[in-house]
Amino acid sequence: MKKILTTPIKDEDLADLKIGDIVYLTGRLVTCRDVAHRRLIDQGRELPVDLKGGAIFHAGPIVKKNEAGEFEMVSIGPTTSMRMEKFEKQFIKETGVKLVIGKGGMGPETAEGCAEHKAVHAVFPGGCAVLAATQVERIEGAEWQDLGMPETMWINKVNEFGPLIISIDTKGNNLFEQNKARFNEKKGPILDRIKSQVGFIR
Amino acid sequence: MTEQSPVEVMTDVMTKFTSYIGKRLPTDVKGKLADLRSKETNEMANVLFDSMAANQEAADKLNRPSCQDTGVIQYFITVGAKFPLLGELEEILRNATLGATKLGPLRHNAVEAFDEKNTGTNTGSRIPWLDWEIVPNEDSAIIDVYMAGGGCTLPGASTVLMPGQGYEGVADFVFDVVTSRGINACPPLLVGVGVSTSAETAARLSKKAILRPVDSRHPNANAAKMETLLEEGLNELGIGPQGLTGNSSVMGVNIESSARHPSTIGVAVSTGCWAHRRGRIKFNADLSYNILSHEGVTL
Ligand code: SF4
Protein backbone atom coordinates (compact mmCIF):
# COMPACT_ATOMS: atom_id res chain seq x y z
CA MET A 1 0.00 0.00 0.00
CA LYS A 2 1.18 3.51 -0.79
CA LYS A 3 2.25 5.46 2.26
CA ILE A 4 0.96 8.99 1.89
CA LEU A 5 1.99 11.96 4.01
CA THR A 6 -0.42 14.85 4.24
CA THR A 7 0.47 18.41 5.22
CA PRO A 8 0.57 19.64 7.93
CA ILE A 9 2.92 16.78 8.82
CA LYS A 10 3.13 15.80 12.48
CA ASP A 11 6.11 14.27 14.29
CA GLU A 12 4.32 10.96 14.70
CA ASP A 13 3.75 10.69 10.92
CA LEU A 14 7.50 10.50 10.46
CA ALA A 15 8.55 8.55 13.54
CA ASP A 16 8.42 5.10 11.91
CA LEU A 17 9.92 6.11 8.57
CA LYS A 18 13.30 4.58 7.78
CA ILE A 19 15.83 5.41 5.10
CA GLY A 20 14.91 3.64 1.89
CA ASP A 21 11.16 3.84 2.55
CA ILE A 22 9.03 5.20 -0.26
CA VAL A 23 6.30 7.75 0.46
CA TYR A 24 4.06 10.17 -1.43
CA LEU A 25 2.92 13.65 -0.46
CA THR A 26 -0.54 15.16 -0.64
CA GLY A 27 -1.13 18.76 0.35
CA ARG A 28 1.11 21.79 0.10
CA LEU A 29 4.62 21.71 -1.38
CA VAL A 30 6.66 24.92 -1.59
CA THR A 31 9.70 25.30 -3.84
CA CYS A 32 12.64 26.68 -1.97
CA ARG A 33 16.24 26.75 -3.13
CA ASP A 34 19.49 28.69 -2.88
CA VAL A 35 18.44 32.31 -2.50
CA ALA A 36 15.39 31.70 -0.33
CA HIS A 37 17.62 29.75 2.05
CA ARG A 38 20.20 32.52 2.02
CA ARG A 39 17.60 35.22 2.65
CA LEU A 40 16.33 33.47 5.76
CA ILE A 41 19.63 32.29 7.22
CA ASP A 42 22.26 34.80 6.09
CA GLN A 43 20.11 37.90 5.88
CA GLY A 44 17.65 37.07 8.64
CA ARG A 45 14.65 37.98 6.52
CA GLU A 46 11.27 36.53 7.37
CA LEU A 47 9.96 33.90 4.96
CA PRO A 48 6.74 34.94 3.21
CA VAL A 49 5.34 31.41 3.65
CA ASP A 50 4.63 29.58 6.91
CA LEU A 51 6.41 26.23 6.65
CA LYS A 52 5.53 24.78 10.06
CA GLY A 53 4.67 21.12 9.46
CA GLY A 54 5.28 21.79 5.79
CA ALA A 55 7.22 20.40 2.87
CA ILE A 56 9.78 22.13 0.66
CA PHE A 57 11.16 21.11 -2.70
CA HIS A 58 14.66 21.99 -3.92
CA ALA A 59 13.57 22.81 -7.45
CA GLY A 60 13.49 25.60 -10.01
CA PRO A 61 10.41 24.99 -12.11
CA ILE A 62 9.20 26.21 -15.48
CA VAL A 63 5.85 27.92 -14.99
CA LYS A 64 3.59 29.54 -17.55
CA LYS A 65 0.53 31.75 -17.34
CA ASN A 66 -2.53 30.41 -19.13
CA GLU A 67 -5.18 32.48 -20.92
CA ALA A 68 -7.15 32.94 -17.72
CA GLY A 69 -4.04 34.50 -16.17
CA GLU A 70 -3.41 31.59 -13.81
CA PHE A 71 -0.03 30.00 -13.27
CA GLU A 72 0.45 26.53 -14.70
CA MET A 73 3.22 24.08 -13.86
CA VAL A 74 5.07 22.94 -16.98
CA SER A 75 8.10 21.20 -15.52
CA ILE A 76 9.39 20.83 -11.97
CA GLY A 77 12.38 18.58 -11.42
CA PRO A 78 14.56 18.40 -8.32
CA THR A 79 17.89 20.17 -8.14
CA THR A 80 20.97 19.00 -6.22
CA SER A 81 20.11 19.20 -2.52
CA MET A 82 23.74 19.30 -1.41
CA ARG A 83 23.92 22.99 -2.38
CA MET A 84 21.58 23.77 0.50
CA GLU A 85 23.64 21.75 3.04
CA LYS A 86 25.16 24.92 4.47
CA PHE A 87 21.74 26.27 5.45
CA GLU A 88 19.42 23.34 5.95
CA LYS A 89 19.97 22.51 9.61
CA GLN A 90 19.25 26.07 10.67
CA PHE A 91 16.43 26.29 8.14
CA ILE A 92 14.69 23.24 9.62
CA LYS A 93 15.09 24.69 13.10
CA GLU A 94 13.71 28.12 12.26
CA THR A 95 10.84 27.11 10.00
CA GLY A 96 9.64 23.84 11.53
CA VAL A 97 9.61 22.27 8.05
CA LYS A 98 9.13 18.48 8.23
CA LEU A 99 9.86 17.21 4.74
CA VAL A 100 12.73 18.39 2.55
CA ILE A 101 12.68 17.01 -1.00
CA GLY A 102 15.47 17.21 -3.57
CA LYS A 103 18.00 15.31 -5.62
CA GLY A 104 20.95 13.32 -4.28
CA GLY A 105 21.89 13.13 -0.64
CA MET A 106 22.61 15.75 2.00
CA GLY A 107 25.40 15.90 4.54
CA PRO A 108 25.96 15.40 8.26
CA GLU A 109 24.65 18.85 9.28
CA THR A 110 21.26 18.25 7.71
CA ALA A 111 21.19 14.76 9.24
CA GLU A 112 21.76 16.39 12.64
CA GLY A 113 18.99 18.88 11.98
CA CYS A 114 16.61 16.08 10.97
CA ALA A 115 17.38 14.13 14.16
CA GLU A 116 17.07 17.15 16.47
CA HIS A 117 13.88 18.55 14.99
CA LYS A 118 12.24 15.35 13.72
CA ALA A 119 12.31 16.07 10.00
CA VAL A 120 13.26 13.94 6.96
CA HIS A 121 14.99 14.44 3.63
CA ALA A 122 13.66 12.57 0.61
CA VAL A 123 14.68 12.16 -3.00
CA PHE A 124 12.41 12.69 -5.97
CA PRO A 125 13.84 10.92 -9.05
CA GLY A 126 16.05 13.32 -11.01
CA GLY A 127 15.17 14.06 -14.61
CA CYS A 128 11.47 13.31 -14.02
CA ALA A 129 10.28 16.91 -14.25
CA VAL A 130 7.23 16.31 -16.39
CA LEU A 131 6.01 13.48 -14.18
CA ALA A 132 6.33 15.84 -11.21
CA ALA A 133 4.44 18.58 -13.03
CA THR A 134 1.53 16.24 -13.67
CA GLN A 135 1.28 15.66 -9.90
CA VAL A 136 0.85 19.39 -9.20
CA GLU A 137 -2.90 20.06 -9.10
CA ARG A 138 -2.57 23.81 -9.06
CA ILE A 139 -0.31 26.65 -8.08
CA GLU A 140 -1.83 28.42 -5.09
CA GLY A 141 0.63 31.23 -4.77
CA ALA A 142 4.00 32.67 -5.70
CA GLU A 143 6.13 34.57 -3.18
CA TRP A 144 9.38 36.45 -3.70
CA GLN A 145 8.76 36.70 -7.41
CA ASP A 146 11.52 39.30 -7.54
CA LEU A 147 13.92 36.33 -7.51
CA GLY A 148 12.92 35.23 -10.99
CA MET A 149 11.17 32.09 -12.08
CA PRO A 150 13.54 29.41 -10.77
CA GLU A 151 14.00 30.96 -7.30
CA THR A 152 10.45 32.15 -6.64
CA MET A 153 8.75 30.29 -3.80
CA TRP A 154 5.99 28.51 -5.70
CA ILE A 155 3.21 27.24 -3.45
CA ASN A 156 1.81 24.07 -5.01
CA LYS A 157 -1.13 21.91 -4.19
CA VAL A 158 0.06 18.39 -4.94
CA ASN A 159 -1.65 15.04 -5.05
CA GLU A 160 0.31 11.86 -4.28
CA PHE A 161 3.53 13.58 -5.22
CA GLY A 162 6.32 11.04 -5.57
CA PRO A 163 7.87 8.54 -5.37
CA LEU A 164 9.84 10.09 -2.51
CA ILE A 165 12.66 7.93 -1.21
CA ILE A 166 13.59 8.75 2.39
CA SER A 167 17.32 9.49 2.38
CA ILE A 168 17.64 10.93 5.91
CA ASP A 169 15.23 9.76 8.62
CA THR A 170 14.31 11.28 11.99
CA LYS A 171 17.07 9.27 13.68
CA GLY A 172 19.60 11.01 11.47
CA ASN A 173 20.43 7.89 9.42
CA ASN A 174 21.79 8.88 6.03
CA LEU A 175 21.14 6.57 3.07
CA PHE A 176 23.60 8.20 0.68
CA GLU A 177 26.42 8.13 3.23
CA GLN A 178 25.78 4.43 3.85
CA ASN A 179 25.66 3.70 0.12
CA LYS A 180 28.88 5.60 -0.50
CA ALA A 181 30.66 3.56 2.15
CA ARG A 182 29.34 0.40 0.52
CA PHE A 183 30.51 1.42 -2.96
CA ASN A 184 33.95 2.30 -1.64
CA GLU A 185 34.24 -1.02 0.11
CA LYS A 186 33.39 -2.97 -3.03
CA LYS A 187 35.61 -0.87 -5.26
CA GLY A 188 39.03 -2.23 -4.26
CA PRO A 189 38.58 -5.90 -5.16
CA ILE A 190 36.79 -5.08 -8.43
CA LEU A 191 39.59 -2.74 -9.47
CA ASP A 192 42.23 -5.31 -8.60
CA ARG A 193 40.55 -7.79 -10.89
CA ILE A 194 40.29 -5.29 -13.75
CA LYS A 195 43.87 -4.15 -13.33
CA SER A 196 45.17 -7.69 -13.58
CA GLN A 197 43.77 -7.79 -17.11
CA VAL A 198 44.78 -4.42 -18.57
CA GLY A 199 48.58 -4.59 -18.42
CA PHE A 200 48.80 -3.55 -22.05
CA ILE A 201 52.11 -1.71 -21.56
CA ARG A 202 54.83 -4.32 -21.46
CA MET B 1 4.53 31.26 -50.22
CA THR B 2 8.03 32.27 -51.14
CA GLU B 3 10.50 29.47 -51.37
CA GLN B 4 12.93 29.09 -48.49
CA SER B 5 16.62 29.54 -49.15
CA PRO B 6 18.89 26.53 -48.44
CA VAL B 7 20.14 28.25 -45.28
CA GLU B 8 16.57 28.72 -44.08
CA VAL B 9 15.68 25.12 -44.86
CA MET B 10 18.58 23.73 -42.86
CA THR B 11 18.07 26.19 -39.99
CA ASP B 12 14.45 25.14 -39.79
CA VAL B 13 15.28 21.42 -39.65
CA MET B 14 18.03 21.95 -37.05
CA THR B 15 15.73 24.13 -34.92
CA LYS B 16 13.08 21.44 -34.83
CA PHE B 17 15.59 18.65 -34.32
CA THR B 18 17.36 20.45 -31.45
CA SER B 19 14.02 20.98 -29.74
CA TYR B 20 12.91 17.42 -30.47
CA ILE B 21 15.83 15.71 -28.76
CA GLY B 22 14.99 17.44 -25.47
CA LYS B 23 11.67 15.64 -25.40
CA ARG B 24 12.45 12.12 -26.60
CA LEU B 25 15.41 9.90 -25.87
CA PRO B 26 17.39 8.29 -28.69
CA THR B 27 16.42 4.75 -29.65
CA ASP B 28 19.56 3.10 -28.24
CA VAL B 29 19.21 4.83 -24.84
CA LYS B 30 15.53 4.01 -24.62
CA GLY B 31 16.24 0.37 -25.41
CA LYS B 32 19.06 0.17 -22.90
CA LEU B 33 16.97 1.65 -20.10
CA ALA B 34 14.18 -0.82 -20.83
CA ASP B 35 16.75 -3.61 -20.79
CA LEU B 36 18.24 -2.52 -17.44
CA ARG B 37 14.77 -2.16 -15.99
CA SER B 38 13.80 -5.69 -17.05
CA LYS B 39 16.88 -7.11 -15.31
CA GLU B 40 16.47 -5.07 -12.13
CA THR B 41 15.61 -7.02 -8.98
CA ASN B 42 15.90 -4.22 -6.40
CA GLU B 43 12.42 -2.99 -5.51
CA MET B 44 13.37 0.64 -4.97
CA ALA B 45 15.30 0.71 -8.24
CA ASN B 46 12.26 -0.63 -10.05
CA VAL B 47 10.09 2.16 -8.65
CA LEU B 48 12.64 4.64 -9.99
CA PHE B 49 12.81 2.98 -13.41
CA ASP B 50 9.01 3.12 -13.53
CA SER B 51 9.05 6.83 -12.76
CA MET B 52 11.61 7.43 -15.49
CA ALA B 53 9.49 5.58 -18.03
CA ALA B 54 6.33 7.40 -16.90
CA ASN B 55 8.18 10.71 -17.22
CA GLN B 56 9.25 9.99 -20.81
CA GLU B 57 5.69 8.99 -21.70
CA ALA B 58 4.31 12.20 -20.20
CA ALA B 59 6.95 14.32 -21.96
CA ASP B 60 6.08 12.72 -25.29
CA LYS B 61 2.35 13.10 -24.80
CA LEU B 62 2.47 16.67 -23.50
CA ASN B 63 5.26 17.62 -25.93
CA ARG B 64 7.48 19.07 -23.19
CA PRO B 65 11.22 18.82 -22.46
CA SER B 66 11.55 15.66 -20.38
CA CYS B 67 14.03 17.15 -17.90
CA GLN B 68 13.86 20.80 -16.89
CA ASP B 69 17.61 21.12 -17.44
CA THR B 70 17.90 21.25 -21.20
CA GLY B 71 21.60 21.96 -20.86
CA VAL B 72 24.10 23.92 -22.87
CA ILE B 73 23.68 23.08 -26.54
CA GLN B 74 26.68 21.45 -28.19
CA TYR B 75 26.98 20.41 -31.84
CA PHE B 76 29.56 17.88 -33.00
CA ILE B 77 29.93 18.29 -36.73
CA THR B 78 31.43 15.78 -39.15
CA VAL B 79 31.16 17.53 -42.47
CA GLY B 80 32.37 16.83 -46.00
CA ALA B 81 34.66 19.49 -47.46
CA LYS B 82 32.24 19.70 -50.39
CA PHE B 83 29.06 20.15 -48.33
CA PRO B 84 27.42 23.19 -49.96
CA LEU B 85 26.60 24.98 -46.67
CA LEU B 86 29.93 24.35 -44.93
CA GLY B 87 30.64 28.07 -44.57
CA GLU B 88 27.13 28.81 -43.31
CA LEU B 89 26.94 26.03 -40.72
CA GLU B 90 28.04 28.14 -37.78
CA GLU B 91 25.33 30.73 -38.39
CA ILE B 92 22.75 28.01 -39.09
CA LEU B 93 23.43 26.21 -35.80
CA ARG B 94 23.46 29.42 -33.79
CA ASN B 95 20.08 30.36 -35.17
CA ALA B 96 18.83 26.82 -34.63
CA THR B 97 19.71 27.18 -30.94
CA LEU B 98 17.89 30.51 -30.74
CA GLY B 99 14.89 28.99 -32.48
CA ALA B 100 14.84 25.82 -30.37
CA THR B 101 15.02 27.90 -27.20
CA LYS B 102 11.65 29.42 -28.12
CA LEU B 103 10.18 26.30 -29.70
CA GLY B 104 11.13 23.78 -26.95
CA PRO B 105 11.00 25.87 -24.90
CA LEU B 106 14.51 25.30 -23.56
CA ARG B 107 15.65 26.64 -20.21
CA HIS B 108 18.06 29.57 -20.43
CA ASN B 109 21.41 28.00 -19.69
CA ALA B 110 24.08 30.29 -21.14
CA VAL B 111 25.80 32.47 -18.56
CA GLU B 112 28.44 34.74 -20.07
CA ALA B 113 31.75 34.13 -18.29
CA PHE B 114 33.13 37.05 -16.23
CA ASP B 115 30.08 39.21 -16.95
CA GLU B 116 28.16 36.52 -15.05
CA LYS B 117 24.95 37.36 -16.86
CA ASN B 118 22.52 34.85 -18.30
CA THR B 119 22.12 35.81 -21.95
CA GLY B 120 18.56 34.46 -21.93
CA THR B 121 18.98 32.97 -25.41
CA ASN B 122 21.16 29.88 -24.89
CA THR B 123 23.71 31.58 -27.11
CA GLY B 124 26.80 33.43 -25.99
CA SER B 125 30.53 33.54 -26.65
CA ARG B 126 31.33 30.24 -28.39
CA ILE B 127 27.95 28.83 -27.35
CA PRO B 128 26.38 26.78 -28.85
CA TRP B 129 29.67 24.91 -28.70
CA LEU B 130 30.80 23.63 -32.09
CA ASP B 131 33.22 20.76 -32.61
CA TRP B 132 34.47 20.23 -36.18
CA GLU B 133 35.73 17.31 -38.19
CA ILE B 134 36.16 17.91 -41.90
CA VAL B 135 36.04 14.91 -44.23
CA PRO B 136 37.82 15.34 -47.60
CA ASN B 137 35.86 14.69 -50.81
CA GLU B 138 32.52 14.16 -49.09
CA ASP B 139 29.49 16.38 -49.73
CA SER B 140 27.27 15.34 -46.81
CA ALA B 141 27.21 16.43 -43.17
CA ILE B 142 26.53 14.51 -39.97
CA ILE B 143 25.58 16.60 -36.94
CA ASP B 144 25.35 15.32 -33.38
CA VAL B 145 23.33 17.56 -31.06
CA TYR B 146 23.95 17.19 -27.36
CA MET B 147 22.24 18.83 -24.39
CA ALA B 148 24.90 19.11 -21.72
CA GLY B 149 22.91 19.34 -18.49
CA GLY B 150 24.51 20.65 -15.32
CA GLY B 151 24.22 17.46 -13.30
CA CYS B 152 25.76 15.20 -15.91
CA THR B 153 28.48 17.69 -16.85
CA LEU B 154 29.71 18.15 -13.28
CA PRO B 155 31.61 14.84 -12.93
CA GLY B 156 33.73 15.62 -16.01
CA ALA B 157 37.46 15.33 -15.32
CA SER B 158 40.71 15.03 -17.17
CA THR B 159 44.31 14.39 -16.19
CA VAL B 160 47.65 13.21 -17.53
CA LEU B 161 49.14 10.02 -16.12
CA MET B 162 52.70 8.80 -16.31
CA PRO B 163 53.20 5.70 -18.42
CA GLY B 164 54.20 3.80 -15.27
CA GLN B 165 50.61 4.18 -14.05
CA GLY B 166 49.50 2.44 -17.21
CA TYR B 167 45.99 1.37 -18.09
CA GLU B 168 45.68 0.35 -14.47
CA GLY B 169 45.79 4.07 -13.68
CA VAL B 170 43.10 4.69 -16.28
CA ALA B 171 40.82 2.19 -14.51
CA ASP B 172 41.47 3.89 -11.16
CA PHE B 173 40.66 7.29 -12.61
CA VAL B 174 37.38 6.13 -14.15
CA PHE B 175 36.24 4.45 -10.92
CA ASP B 176 37.16 7.46 -8.81
CA VAL B 177 35.16 9.84 -10.97
CA VAL B 178 32.10 7.60 -11.16
CA THR B 179 31.96 6.67 -7.47
CA SER B 180 32.61 10.15 -6.14
CA ARG B 181 30.82 12.53 -8.46
CA GLY B 182 28.91 10.26 -10.79
CA ILE B 183 26.40 9.32 -8.12
CA ASN B 184 24.71 12.73 -8.27
CA ALA B 185 24.67 12.80 -12.07
CA CYS B 186 21.42 10.81 -12.38
CA PRO B 187 22.70 7.28 -13.02
CA PRO B 188 22.57 4.85 -14.79
CA LEU B 189 25.26 6.78 -16.66
CA LEU B 190 26.80 6.46 -20.06
CA VAL B 191 30.50 6.79 -19.26
CA GLY B 192 32.81 8.19 -21.94
CA VAL B 193 36.54 7.69 -21.53
CA GLY B 194 39.21 9.40 -23.62
CA VAL B 195 42.65 7.80 -23.72
CA SER B 196 45.00 10.10 -25.52
CA THR B 197 48.12 12.22 -25.25
CA SER B 198 47.15 15.30 -23.21
CA ALA B 199 44.42 16.66 -21.00
CA GLU B 200 42.40 18.43 -23.67
CA THR B 201 42.66 15.78 -26.39
CA ALA B 202 41.49 13.14 -23.91
CA ALA B 203 38.66 15.40 -22.77
CA ARG B 204 37.39 15.93 -26.29
CA LEU B 205 37.52 12.21 -27.04
CA SER B 206 35.71 11.35 -23.82
CA LYS B 207 32.82 13.54 -24.95
CA LYS B 208 32.84 12.07 -28.44
CA ALA B 209 32.70 8.64 -26.78
CA ILE B 210 29.27 9.33 -25.24
CA LEU B 211 27.95 10.29 -28.66
CA ARG B 212 28.53 6.70 -29.77
CA PRO B 213 25.66 4.20 -29.36
CA VAL B 214 25.48 2.71 -25.86
CA ASP B 215 26.28 -0.83 -26.89
CA SER B 216 28.97 -0.01 -29.46
CA ARG B 217 32.53 -1.23 -29.03
CA HIS B 218 35.94 0.25 -29.78
CA PRO B 219 37.48 -1.36 -32.91
CA ASN B 220 40.70 -2.26 -31.06
CA ALA B 221 40.41 -5.56 -29.20
CA ASN B 222 42.25 -4.40 -26.06
CA ALA B 223 40.22 -1.20 -25.86
CA ALA B 224 37.00 -3.14 -26.38
CA LYS B 225 38.04 -5.52 -23.62
CA MET B 226 38.67 -2.58 -21.32
CA GLU B 227 35.22 -1.16 -22.13
CA THR B 228 33.64 -4.46 -21.12
CA LEU B 229 35.74 -4.80 -17.97
CA LEU B 230 34.93 -1.27 -16.82
CA GLU B 231 31.26 -1.67 -17.61
CA GLU B 232 30.95 -4.95 -15.74
CA GLY B 233 33.05 -3.67 -12.85
CA LEU B 234 31.03 -0.47 -12.44
CA ASN B 235 27.79 -2.42 -12.62
CA GLU B 236 29.06 -4.71 -9.91
CA LEU B 237 29.27 -1.67 -7.61
CA GLY B 238 25.49 -1.54 -7.89
CA ILE B 239 25.11 2.24 -7.83
CA GLY B 240 21.61 1.90 -9.26
CA PRO B 241 19.27 4.59 -10.56
CA GLN B 242 19.83 7.93 -8.77
CA GLY B 243 22.69 6.36 -6.78
CA LEU B 244 20.12 4.60 -4.60
CA THR B 245 21.57 1.12 -5.37
CA GLY B 246 20.41 -1.49 -7.85
CA ASN B 247 21.74 -4.13 -10.21
CA SER B 248 23.38 -1.66 -12.58
CA SER B 249 25.39 1.55 -12.44
CA VAL B 250 25.92 2.38 -16.07
CA MET B 251 24.26 2.08 -19.45
CA GLY B 252 27.71 1.48 -20.89
CA VAL B 253 31.35 2.52 -21.04
CA ASN B 254 32.67 3.86 -24.36
CA ILE B 255 36.35 4.54 -24.93
CA GLU B 256 37.76 6.73 -27.69
CA SER B 257 41.50 6.91 -28.19
CA SER B 258 44.36 8.41 -30.14
CA ALA B 259 48.10 7.81 -30.34
CA ARG B 260 50.02 9.42 -27.47
CA HIS B 261 53.41 10.74 -26.47
CA PRO B 262 55.58 7.90 -25.14
CA SER B 263 55.86 9.73 -21.80
CA THR B 264 52.19 10.56 -21.21
CA ILE B 265 48.76 9.00 -20.94
CA GLY B 266 46.07 11.64 -21.15
CA VAL B 267 42.84 10.34 -19.69
CA ALA B 268 39.44 11.95 -19.29
CA VAL B 269 35.91 11.02 -18.30
CA SER B 270 32.64 12.56 -19.48
CA THR B 271 29.33 11.28 -18.21
CA GLY B 272 25.88 11.26 -19.74
CA CYS B 273 22.90 10.91 -17.39
CA TRP B 274 20.05 8.45 -17.88
CA ALA B 275 18.22 11.23 -19.73
CA HIS B 276 21.02 11.22 -22.31
CA ARG B 277 19.65 13.70 -24.76
CA ARG B 278 21.56 13.50 -27.97
CA GLY B 279 20.58 13.21 -31.60
CA ARG B 280 22.35 12.42 -34.87
CA ILE B 281 21.16 13.71 -38.21
CA LYS B 282 22.71 13.36 -41.65
CA PHE B 283 22.22 15.94 -44.41
CA ASN B 284 22.93 15.19 -48.03
CA ALA B 285 24.17 17.86 -50.42
CA ASP B 286 20.59 18.55 -51.60
CA LEU B 287 19.60 19.02 -47.89
CA SER B 288 17.48 15.91 -47.78
CA TYR B 289 18.12 14.37 -44.38
CA ASN B 290 17.98 11.18 -42.31
CA ILE B 291 17.64 11.09 -38.55
CA LEU B 292 20.00 8.34 -37.42
CA SER B 293 19.48 8.44 -33.63
CA HIS B 294 15.70 8.28 -33.28
CA GLU B 295 13.20 6.02 -35.01
CA GLY B 296 9.95 7.21 -36.51
CA VAL B 297 10.47 10.96 -36.21
CA THR B 298 8.46 13.60 -38.02
CA LEU B 299 9.90 17.04 -37.41
S1 SF4 C 1 21.69 14.93 -14.60
FE1 SF4 C 1 20.47 14.75 -16.46
S2 SF4 C 1 18.47 13.92 -15.84
FE2 SF4 C 1 19.54 14.62 -13.99
S3 SF4 C 1 18.74 16.70 -13.70
FE3 SF4 C 1 20.66 16.89 -14.84
S4 SF4 C 1 20.08 16.88 -17.02
FE4 SF4 C 1 18.30 16.15 -15.83
Side-chain angles (χ1 to χ4, degrees), chain B residues 13 16-21 23-27 30 60 278-281 289-299:
Chain B
V13 173
K16 289 179 180 150
F17 189 54
T18 302
S19 163
Y20 181 91
I21 67 137
K23 300 172 181 176
R24 285 140 198 122
L25 294 177
T27 308
K30 228 166 123 179
D60 182 33
R278 60 155 152 66
R280 178 171 293 179
I281 187 167
Y289 63 87
N290 291 326
I291 290 169
L292 306 176
S293 51
H294 295 65
E295 271 163 18
V297 186
T298 16
L299 288 181

Side-chain angles (χ1 to χ4, degrees), chain A:
Chain A
M1 214 189 65
K2 267 188 180 177
K3 172 147 176 78
I4 296 166
L5 297 172
T6 312
T7 56
I9 300 166
K10 296 183 284 303
D11 284 359
E12 53 266 36
D13 299 338
L14 303 178
D16 292 336
L17 284 183
K18 290 186 301 293
I19 49 172
D21 285 353
I22 298 174
V23 298
Y24 295 78
L25 176 75
T26 293
R28 203 167 88 159
L29 176 63
V30 183
T31 65
C32 185
R33 47 185 283 167
D34 308 68
V35 187
H37 279 78
R38 203 173 314 134
R39 278 190 174 176
L40 176 75
I41 308 301
D42 279 355
Q43 299 170 10
R45 290 175 64 171
E46 199 184 322
L47 280 187
V49 192
D50 180 16
L51 291 176
K52 201 163 181 334
I56 60 166
F57 192 19
H58 297 151
I62 303 174
V63 176
K64 74 168 185 215
K65 250 192 189 147
N66 64 18
E67 281 117 51
E70 295 154 351
F71 289 120
E72 240 179 57
M73 191 53 77
V74 176
S75 162
I76 179 168
T79 191
T80 306
S81 286
M82 200 50 109
R83 289 204 314 272
M84 271 52 81
E85 173 65 12
K86 223 167 91 188
F87 307 112
E88 210 65 273
K89 183 181 175 189
Q90 193 66 20
F91 189 95
I92 293 168
K93 182 177 174 203
E94 288 190 22
T95 59
V97 72
K98 288 285 155 196
L99 173 61
V100 177
I101 305 170
K103 186 181 109 169
M106 294 195 74
E109 296 252 337
T110 303
E112 254 178 59
C114 285
E116 274 170 33
H117 307 287
K118 301 299 155 210
V120 297
H121 176 263
V123 170
F124 184 89
C128 295
V130 184
L131 177 68
T134 61
Q135 297 166 346
V136 174
E137 280 186 345
R138 66 172 186 279
I139 297 177
E140 292 182 324
E143 297 291 339
W144 279 352
Q145 289 191 50
D146 59 302
L147 295 179
M149 192 192 288
E151 296 273 355
T152 292
M153 296 184 78
W154 297 99
I155 304 166
N156 305 286
K157 176 149 190 328
V158 297
N159 186 22
E160 298 196 6
F161 186 87
L164 306 171
I165 296 100
I166 304 297
S167 90
I168 298 176
D169 61 24
T170 53
K171 315 259 174 345
N173 296 311
N174 190 331
L175 181 60
F176 278 87
E177 289 302 318
Q178 291 186 8
N179 287 346
K180 241 189 235 166
R182 207 163 112 188
F183 301 147
N184 279 331
E185 216 172 279
K186 281 185 166 177
K187 194 166 120 177
I190 297 175
L191 268 170
D192 287 343
R193 199 188 61 219
I194 295 176
K195 286 185 199 169
S196 71
Q197 297 176 72
V198 297
F200 303 133
I201 302 178
R202 264 169 236 166

Side-chain angles (χ1 to χ4, degrees), chain B residues 25-26 29 146 190 210-211 214 251 272-278:
Chain B
L25 294 177
V29 171
Y146 177 61
L190 179 59
I210 59 170
L211 301 178
V214 283
M251 295 194 279
C273 53
W274 74 264
H276 190 43
R277 286 147 304 159
R278 60 155 152 66

